[in-house]
Coordinates of all heavy atoms in Angstrom, one line a residue:
N1 N -6.2 16.6 3.7 CA -7.7 16.6 3.5 C -8.4 15.8 4.5 O -9.5 16.1 4.9 CB -7.9 16.2 2.0 CG -7.9 17.3 1.0 OD1 -8.8 18.1 1.0 ND2 -6.8 17.3 0.3
L2 N -7.8 14.7 4.9 CA -8.4 13.8 5.9 C -8.6 14.6 7.2 O -9.6 14.6 7.8 CB -7.6 12.6 6.2 CG -7.7 11.5 5.2 CD1 -6.7 10.4 5.4 CD2 -9.1 10.9 5.1
K3 N -7.5 15.4 7.6 CA -7.6 16.2 8.8 C -8.7 17.3 8.7 O -9.5 17.5 9.6 CB -6.3 16.9 9.1 CG -6.3 17.8 10.3 CD -5.0 18.6 10.5 CE -5.1 19.5 11.7 NZ -6.3 20.1 12.1
E4 N -8.8 17.9 7.5 CA -9.8 18.9 7.3 C -11.2 18.3 7.3 O -12.1 18.9 7.9 CB -9.6 19.7 6.0 CG -8.3 20.5 6.0 CD -8.0 21.2 4.7 OE1 -8.7 21.0 3.7 OE2 -7.0 21.9 4.6
L5 N -11.4 17.2 6.7 CA -12.7 16.5 6.7 C -13.1 16.1 8.1 O -14.3 16.2 8.5 CB -12.7 15.3 5.8 CG -12.6 15.6 4.3 CD1 -12.2 14.4 3.5 CD2 -14.0 16.2 3.8
V6 N -12.2 15.7 8.9 CA -12.5 15.4 10.4 C -12.8 16.6 11.1 O -13.8 16.7 11.8 CB -11.3 14.7 11.0 CG1 -11.5 14.6 12.5 CG2 -11.1 13.3 10.4
D7 N -12.0 17.7 10.9 CA -12.3 19.0 11.6 C -13.7 19.5 11.2 O -14.4 20.2 12.0 CB -11.2 20.0 11.2 CG -9.9 19.7 11.8 OD1 -9.8 18.8 12.8 OD2 -8.9 20.3 11.4
E8 N -14.1 19.3 10.0 CA -15.4 19.8 9.5 C -16.5 18.8 9.8 O -17.7 19.0 9.5 CB -15.3 20.0 8.0 CG -14.4 21.1 7.6 CD -14.1 21.2 6.1 OE1 -14.8 20.5 5.3 OE2 -13.2 21.9 5.7
K9 N -16.2 17.7 10.5 CA -17.2 16.7 10.9 C -17.9 16.0 9.8 O -19.0 15.5 9.9 CB -18.1 17.3 11.9 CG -17.4 17.8 13.2 CD -18.4 18.4 14.1 CE -17.6 18.8 15.3 NZ -17.9 20.0 15.9
V10 N -17.2 15.9 8.6 CA -17.7 15.2 7.5 C -17.4 13.7 7.6 O -18.2 12.8 7.3 CB -17.1 15.7 6.2 CG1 -17.6 14.9 5.0 CG2 -17.4 17.2 6.0
I11 N -16.2 13.4 8.2 CA -15.9 12.0 8.4 C -15.4 11.9 9.9 O -15.2 12.9 10.6 CB -14.7 11.5 7.5 CG1 -13.4 12.3 7.7 CG2 -15.1 11.5 6.1 CD1 -12.2 11.8 7.0
W12 N -15.3 10.6 10.4 CA -14.8 10.4 11.8 C -13.5 9.8 11.7 O -13.1 8.9 10.9 CB -15.8 9.4 12.5 CG -17.2 9.9 12.7 CD1 -17.6 11.2 12.8 CD2 -18.3 9.1 12.9 NE1 -18.9 11.2 13.0 CE2 -19.4 9.9 13.1 CE3 -18.5 7.7 13.0 CZ2 -20.7 9.5 13.3 CZ3 -19.8 7.2 13.2 CH2 -20.9 8.1 13.4
K13 N -12.7 10.2 12.7 CA -11.3 9.6 13.0 C -11.5 8.7 14.2 O -11.8 9.2 15.3 CB -10.3 10.7 13.2 CG -8.9 10.2 13.4 CD -8.0 11.4 13.5 CE -6.5 11.0 13.7 NZ -5.7 12.2 13.8
I14 N -11.2 7.5 14.0 CA -11.4 6.5 15.1 C -10.1 6.0 15.7 O -9.2 5.5 14.9 CB -12.2 5.3 14.7 CG1 -13.5 5.7 14.0 CG2 -12.5 4.3 15.8 CD1 -14.2 4.7 13.2
S15 N -9.9 6.2 17.0 CA -8.6 5.8 17.6 C -8.6 4.3 17.8 O -9.5 3.8 18.5 CB -8.4 6.6 18.9 OG -7.3 6.1 19.5
I16 N -7.6 3.6 17.3 CA -7.4 2.2 17.5 C -6.6 2.0 18.7 O -6.8 1.1 19.6 CB -6.8 1.5 16.3 CG1 -7.6 1.8 15.0 CG2 -6.6 0.0 16.5 CD1 -9.0 1.3 15.1
N17 N -5.5 2.8 18.8 CA -4.6 2.8 20.0 C -4.0 4.2 20.0 O -4.4 5.1 19.3 CB -3.6 1.7 20.0 CG -2.8 1.7 18.7 OD1 -2.4 2.7 18.2 ND2 -2.6 0.5 18.1
D18 N -3.0 4.3 20.8 CA -2.3 5.7 21.0 C -1.7 6.3 19.7 O -1.6 7.4 19.6 CB -1.2 5.6 22.1 CG -1.8 5.4 23.4 OD1 -3.0 5.7 23.6 OD2 -1.1 5.0 24.3
S19 N -1.4 5.4 18.7 CA -0.8 5.9 17.5 C -1.4 5.5 16.2 O -0.9 5.8 15.1 CB 0.7 5.4 17.5 OG 0.8 4.0 17.5
Q20 N -2.5 4.7 16.2 CA -3.1 4.2 15.0 C -4.6 4.7 14.9 O -5.3 4.6 15.9 CB -3.1 2.7 14.9 CG -3.6 2.2 13.6 CD -3.5 0.7 13.6 OE1 -3.4 0.0 14.6 NE2 -3.7 0.1 12.4
Y21 N -4.9 5.2 13.8 CA -6.3 5.7 13.5 C -6.8 5.1 12.2 O -6.1 4.8 11.3 CB -6.3 7.2 13.4 CG -5.7 7.9 14.7 CD1 -4.4 8.2 14.8 CD2 -6.6 8.1 15.7 CE1 -3.9 8.8 15.9 CE2 -6.1 8.8 16.9 CZ -4.7 9.1 17.0 OH -4.2 9.7 18.1
K22 N -8.2 5.0 12.2 CA -8.9 4.7 11.0 C -10.0 5.7 10.8 O -10.4 6.4 11.7 CB -9.4 3.2 11.1 CG -8.3 2.2 11.1 CD -8.9 0.8 10.9 CE -7.7 -0.2 10.9 NZ -8.2 -1.6 10.6
Y23 N -10.4 5.7 9.5 CA -11.4 6.8 9.2 C -12.7 6.1 8.7 O -12.7 5.0 8.2 CB -10.9 7.6 8.1 CG -9.7 8.4 8.6 CD1 -8.4 7.9 8.5 CD2 -9.8 9.7 9.1 CE1 -7.3 8.6 9.0 CE2 -8.7 10.4 9.6 CZ -7.5 9.9 9.5 OH -6.4 10.6 10.0
D24 N -13.8 6.8 9.0 CA -15.2 6.3 8.7 C -16.0 7.4 8.1 O -16.0 8.6 8.6 CB -15.8 5.8 10.0 CG -17.1 5.1 9.9 OD1 -17.4 4.7 8.7 OD2 -17.7 4.8 10.9
Y25 N -16.7 7.1 7.0 CA -17.7 8.1 6.5 C -19.0 7.6 7.1 O -19.5 6.5 6.8 CB -17.7 8.0 5.0 CG -18.8 9.0 4.4 CD1 -18.5 10.3 4.3 CD2 -20.0 8.5 4.1 CE1 -19.5 11.2 3.8 CE2 -21.0 9.4 3.6 CZ -20.7 10.7 3.5 OH -21.7 11.6 3.0
P26 N -19.6 8.4 8.0 CA -20.8 8.0 8.7 C -22.1 8.0 7.8 O -22.7 9.1 7.7 CB -20.9 8.9 9.9 CG -20.2 10.2 9.4 CD -19.2 9.7 8.5
K27 N -22.4 6.9 7.1 CA -23.6 6.9 6.3 C -24.8 7.0 7.1 O -25.9 7.4 6.6 CB -23.6 5.6 5.5 CG -22.4 5.4 4.5 CD -22.3 4.1 3.9 CE -21.1 3.9 3.0 NZ -20.0 3.4 3.6
K28 N -24.7 6.5 8.3 CA -25.9 6.6 9.3 C -25.3 6.7 10.7 O -24.1 6.4 10.9 CB -26.8 5.4 9.2 CG -26.1 4.1 9.5 CD -27.0 3.0 9.4 CE -26.3 1.7 9.7 NZ -27.1 0.5 9.9
E29 N -26.0 7.1 11.6 CA -25.5 7.3 13.0 C -25.3 5.9 13.6 O -26.1 5.0 13.4 CB -26.6 8.0 13.8 CG -26.1 8.4 15.2 CD -27.1 9.2 15.9 OE1 -28.0 9.7 15.3 OE2 -27.0 9.2 17.2
H30 N -24.1 5.7 14.1 CA -23.7 4.4 14.7 C -22.5 4.6 15.7 O -21.9 5.7 15.7 CB -23.4 3.4 13.6 CG -22.2 3.7 12.8 ND1 -22.2 4.6 11.8 CD2 -20.9 3.4 12.9 CE1 -21.0 4.7 11.2 NE2 -20.2 4.0 11.9
N31 N -22.2 3.6 16.4 CA -21.1 3.6 17.3 C -20.2 2.4 16.9 O -20.4 1.7 16.0 CB -21.6 3.4 18.8 CG -22.4 4.6 19.2 OD1 -21.9 5.7 19.2 ND2 -23.7 4.4 19.5
H32 N -19.1 2.3 17.7 CA -18.1 1.3 17.3 C -17.6 0.4 18.5 O -17.5 0.9 19.6 CB -16.8 2.0 16.8 CG -17.1 2.8 15.6 ND1 -17.2 4.2 15.6 CD2 -17.3 2.5 14.3 CE1 -17.5 4.6 14.4 NE2 -17.5 3.6 13.5
V33 N -17.4 -0.9 18.2 CA -16.7 -1.8 19.1 C -15.3 -2.0 18.4 O -15.3 -2.4 17.3 CB -17.5 -3.1 19.3 CG1 -16.7 -4.1 20.1 CG2 -18.8 -2.8 19.9
I34 N -14.3 -1.8 19.2 CA -12.9 -1.9 18.7 C -12.1 -2.9 19.5 O -12.1 -2.9 20.7 CB -12.2 -0.6 18.7 CG1 -13.0 0.5 18.0 CG2 -10.8 -0.7 18.2 CD1 -12.6 1.9 18.2
C35 N -11.5 -3.9 18.8 CA -10.7 -4.9 19.4 C -9.3 -4.3 19.8 O -8.6 -3.8 18.9 CB -10.5 -6.1 18.5 SG -9.4 -7.4 19.3
I36 N -8.9 -4.4 21.0 CA -7.6 -3.8 21.4 C -6.4 -4.7 21.0 O -5.3 -4.2 21.1 CB -7.6 -3.6 23.0 CG1 -7.8 -4.9 23.7 CG2 -8.6 -2.5 23.4 CD1 -7.6 -4.7 25.3
K37 N -6.7 -5.8 20.6 CA -5.6 -6.7 20.1 C -5.3 -6.6 18.6 O -4.2 -6.4 18.2 CB -5.8 -8.2 20.5 CG -5.7 -8.4 22.0 CD -5.5 -9.9 22.2 CE -5.1 -10.0 23.7 NZ -4.1 -11.1 23.9
C38 N -6.4 -6.8 17.8 CA -6.2 -6.8 16.4 C -6.6 -5.5 15.7 O -6.3 -5.3 14.5 CB -6.9 -8.0 15.7 SG -8.7 -7.8 15.8

């Protein structure tokens, strides 16, 4: 369901690194700053 929600652009899949992802429900338009260490 997470994959389908991303494909349908209901939620965002945010890449932390090459193998780790987090998900976001965009309540409003925004961008992200991501720490490459933590």
Side-chain angles (χ1 to χ4, degrees):
N1 276 284
L2 286 171
K3 181 188 178 322
E4 290 174 2
L5 288 165
V6 169
D7 290 347
E8 295 168 11
K9 299 178 178 140
V10 176
I11 63 173
W12 294 339
K13 182 178 181 179
I14 304 164
S15 175
I16 304 303
N17 56 42
D18 290 339
S19 62
Q20 185 181 13
Y21 301 92
K22 292 190 177 184
Y23 295 86
D24 189 8
Y25 179 81
K27 297 174 182 94
K28 62 180 179 169
E29 191 175 340
H30 64 277
N31 295 300
H32 300 101
V33 174
I34 302 168
C35 179
I36 59 174
K37 286 200 171 217
C38 69

